[in-house]
Amino acid sequence: MGNIVAIVGRPNVGKSTFFNRLTETRKAIVDEISGVTRDRHYGKVFWNGKEFSIIDTGGYVSNSDDVFEEEIRKQVLLAIEEADVVIFMTDVVSGITDLDLTVAELLRRIQKPVILVVNKVDNSERFYDINEFYKLGLGEVYPVSSINGSGTGEILDYLTGLLTEHPEEQKEEIPYIAVVGRPNVGKSSLINALIGEERTIVTPVSGTTRDSIHTRYRKFNHDFILVDTAGLRKKSKVKENLEFYSIMRSVRAIEHADVCMLLLDATIGIESQDVSIFHLIERNRKGVVVLVNKWDVVDKDTMSAKKYEASIRKRLEPFSDVPVLFISALTKQRIHKALEETVTVYENRKKKIPTSKLNAVMLKAVEEYNPPAVKGKFIKIKYVTQLPTHAPSFAFFCNLPQYVREPYKRYLENQIRKNFNFTGVPIQIFMRKK
């Protein structure tokens, strides 16, 4: 399971600029994932051979000018609860404020690593001013300048040293299927409908006390682990920012899953938060099945399933080759079909295409539509192979990989999808020098 790092602090200390710095560092090292518009507040960072997820809590506070102390406190508490490491960001120009003291007090009580970062240290004079931050009682102080990036490397070195390796081998060769979605879309109802009342076969994952609930599902020739992210909270606590809460929760479940069932509420339609969770799944290269729940209460005269499905696919572009099913957890309508689709997507994600077959099909597709010439140079694709990765990725070997643009990569992806069934699975296309 991946590590999660959360950036907390009051508004206007530069959390988002710092977040952008960290997520950009990944780009230099790892091929950019095609066709994904990066969501502003969640990213993957790769440093020193370690990868972790990073969440900028700042993006989830409403009206950042008059943020109430209470709102920030809730965010910090939630971040503390969900993250493995917390980065606490302050700013040398305004010094220590009352709000900083409040946050520091919360952070001093926890048993998790906290990294105290002082931003806007962009000249030697300010460097002397960082000493006052030792008063916060959080140990070492790390100066940075988010604007020019100085100090970022030291923080990443220290941070990656703190991350624990989560061994992959504890996972059996059995599909992990996560039920994800916004609060109140019916995740618990779906899981109860699938499992019935056999809630006793629950094994919490070690090392995380309040983690998702894992249930072994063995029925109708299926055998997999259902990861339930719903209903883990005491009701009193659900008053905090719901978007932030469901994103935090989803990150954990998605990272551990092979396939995600993304639940939408048919009475509401697809919202930006659903799209954010969908992009999380895509960026983690997991399989996905979209389930439109509460279909039993929708007026079919005003909205046909066909029209509804088209509107969903439009919002999910460019990755819209995903199963969309209309279900009702309450009446159990199509929930077994949903399971079958999910298992099919799991198989698609493991699929390996023989190289000879891949070349026969794809080189023909290249011949039919060659990559457009760039600056008078012609790009010749000679060979293609599937890489030995967890999720499907393909390397196309050519003379000028740097000149192949996104639209052409999308053409190649569409040709792969047309000829080999990868429904529900994100595909990566890499161009390599032959």
Side-chain angles (χ1 to χ4, degrees):
M1 240 165 130
N3 284 285
I4 297 181
V5 176
I7 308 175
V8 303
R10 59 188 171 76
N12 308 325
V13 289
K15 293 191 292 294
S16 296
T17 322
F18 183 63
F19 168 83
N20 291 341
R21 275 249 160 240
L22 294 187
T23 46
E24 291 301 314
T25 52
R26 174 186 165 82
K27 256 196 197 163
I29 308 167
V30 177
D31 303 73
E32 197 181 344
I33 297 170
S34 64
V36 174
T37 50
R38 268 207 335 280
D39 296 352
R40 290 195 311 283
H41 314 303
Y42 164 85
K44 285 265 190 205
V45 182
F46 187 84
W47 188 262
N48 283 351
K50 287 190 181 175
E51 188 179 53
F52 58 91
S53 294
I54 189 148
I55 293 177
D56 162 25
T57 60
Y60 296 94
V61 174
S62 44
N63 332 330
S64 63
D65 295 338
D66 55 5
V67 175
F68 309 113
E69 206 170 309
E70 191 42 32
E71 185 71 1
I72 290 177
R73 262 182 56 112
K74 281 180 190 164
Q75 297 243 326
V76 172
L77 287 169
L78 187 62
I80 288 171
E81 190 180 323
E82 294 292 340
D84 299 298
V85 178
V86 178
I87 292 178
F88 174 29
M89 196 142 202
T90 56
D91 131 32
V92 73
V93 180
S94 50
I96 294 175
T97 66
D98 290 349
L99 203 45
D100 291 331
L101 291 168
T102 308
V103 174
E105 194 186 334
L106 292 171
L107 294 174
R108 280 199 303 271
R109 294 190 212 141
I110 64 168
Q111 299 298 304
K112 289 182 179 179
V114 175
I115 302 176
L116 174 56
V117 174
V118 184
N119 192 17
K120 305 181 188 173
V121 184
D122 33 31
N123 60 40
S124 52
E125 205 174 299
R126 288 179 174 180
F127 194 79
Y128 290 107
D129 295 336
I130 70 169
N131 290 321
E132 78 157 309
F133 288 87
Y134 283 100
K135 283 205 309 231
L136 292 173
L138 289 166
E140 194 54 56
V141 175
Y142 287 85
V144 291
S145 165
S146 292
I147 297 294
N148 67 32
S150 68
T152 318
E154 287 83 346
I155 292 170
L156 282 169
D157 287 344
Y158 177 62
L159 173 59
T160 46
L162 293 171
L163 300 180
T164 48
E165 290 295 326
H166 293 287
E168 277 297 305
E169 51 281 1
Q170 65 180 9
K171 266 180 73 167
E172 300 171 66
E173 256 308 299
I174 168 174
Y176 273 64
I177 292 171
V179 180
V180 297
R182 290 182 291 108
N184 309 323
V185 289
K187 297 189 288 290
S188 295
S189 316
L190 175 63
I191 283 170
N192 290 337
L194 290 172
I195 296 169
E197 289 316 301
E198 302 165 43
R199 263 312 184 48
T200 45
I201 35 176
V202 169
T203 49
V205 173
S206 62
T208 39
T209 42
R210 32 108 286 276
D211 214 297
S212 331
I213 297 165
H214 291 206
T215 312
R216 186 78 175 250
Y217 180 96
R218 284 183 171 136
K219 277 187 188 175
F220 311 110
N221 298 330
H222 291 308
D223 185 9
F224 51 78
I225 303 273
L226 261 179
V227 183
D228 169 13
T229 55
L232 294 176
R233 272 298 186 71
K234 294 185 190 65
K235 280 284 179 276
S236 64
K237 281 196 181 171
V238 185
K239 292 191 192 68
E240 71 272 278
N241 183 312
L242 282 178
E243 180 181 6
F244 179 58
Y245 159 61
S246 57
I247 294 278
M248 275 298 245
R249 261 290 140 75
S250 305
V251 169
R252 272 258 180 258
I254 290 166
E255 294 204 337
H256 203 85
D258 296 302
V259 182
C260 300
M261 291 177 161
L262 173 60
L263 231 58
L264 310 181
D265 182 332
T267 61
I268 295 174
I270 184 165
E271 296 193 314
S272 63
Q273 209 178 320
D274 302 314
V275 177
S276 293
I277 295 175
F278 180 81
H279 284 325
L280 283 180
I281 298 169
E282 180 181 14
R283 192 156 336 129
N284 280 284
R285 305 189 281 288
K286 307 295 187 174
V288 60
V289 176
V290 176
L291 302 178
V292 186
N293 190 24
K294 307 183 189 176
W295 189 241
D296 52 321
V297 296
V298 172
D299 177 8
K300 312 296 186 293
D301 298 335
T302 50
M303 191 50 133
S304 70
K306 208 170 188 154
K307 250 165 73 178
Y308 207 113
E309 184 177 333
S311 73
I312 290 172
R313 289 189 191 283
K314 185 91 194 103
R315 290 290 301 275
L316 302 181
E317 285 176 348
F319 174 38
S320 55
D321 180 18
V322 294
V324 176
L325 276 90
F326 294 85
I327 67 159
S328 163
L330 200 64
T331 66
K332 302 197 175 184
Q333 177 187 12
R334 284 193 211 95
I335 63 171
H336 292 296
K337 177 89 178 97
L339 280 185
E340 275 154 31
E341 282 291 347
T342 306
V343 173
T344 303
V345 168
Y346 174 75
E347 295 302 333
N348 288 351
R349 189 166 173 262
K350 290 198 316 189
K351 188 179 293 179
K352 297 282 181 266
I353 311 291
T355 305
S356 55
K357 197 170 172 189
L358 195 56
N359 279 282
V361 169
M362 291 310 293
L363 294 180
K364 188 165 175 281
V366 169
E367 214 171 282
E368 283 168 15
Y369 171 46
N370 274 299
V374 178
K375 301 178 186 163
K377 296 191 165 87
F378 291 97
I379 299 161
K380 296 181 184 65
I381 294 176
K382 296 284 186 210
Y383 177 75
V384 53
T385 182
Q386 186 172 354
L387 299 169
T389 47
H390 285 310
S393 49
F394 299 87
F396 286 79
F397 292 87
C398 62
N399 54 342
L400 301 163
Q402 67 277 24
Y403 288 142
V404 180
R405 301 278 175 260
E406 275 311 314
Y408 192 75
K409 286 186 190 172
R410 208 157 291 152
Y411 164 74
L412 293 176
E413 177 179 335
N414 291 338
Q415 292 301 311
I416 290 174
R417 290 188 182 282
K418 208 169 92 180
N419 290 283
F420 310 101
N421 181 6
F422 282 107
T423 297
V425 183
I427 288 178
Q428 281 185 291
I429 302 280
F430 297 109
M431 290 294 165
R432 296 270 162 86
K433 190 101 178 121
K434 71 172 195 313

